[in-house]
Amino acid sequence: WQAGGDGARGGAGCTLSGWYRLREAAPYTALDLELGRVAGWFAGRMVWGSDWPHTSFPVDALPPYGGNWEPVARVLPAPQQNDAASLAPDRLYA
């Protein structure tokens, strides 16, 4: 995670997605502290993604769509949630 702080100081952004790729299971509460730290480093430069179509899962075992948003909703304040879901993508990809 320290490399993430270095990247943030250099102006990089990050995508908030694919929690299961961090070898955690829903509801991903074990990641809350780290997510809060990352949110501090990358404020204004985070983009949320659902990671659909979840290619690492069989079709009959896909994670629930809303479960990928849960950590963001639980850890980030509403303005940061809105920024990651709507505003930052517009700024970064427009």
Side-chain angles (χ1 to χ4, degrees), residues 1 8 19-21 28 31 33 40 45 47-48 50 64 73 77 79 82 87 90 92:
W1 290 100
W19 312 115
Y20 49 83
R21 292 187 178 141
Y28 311 108
L31 302 174
L33 182 63
R45 292 175 286 134
V47 176
W48 179 78
S50 70
N82 184 52
L87 303 176
D90 284 347
L92 295 170

Side-chain angles (χ1 to χ4, degrees), residues 2 8 19 22 24 44 58-60 65 70 77 80 83 89 94:
Q2 181 57 43
W19 312 115
L22 298 173
E24 295 295 336
V59 173
D60 60 345
Y65 185 84
E70 275 182 49
Q80 269 190 313
D83 193 71

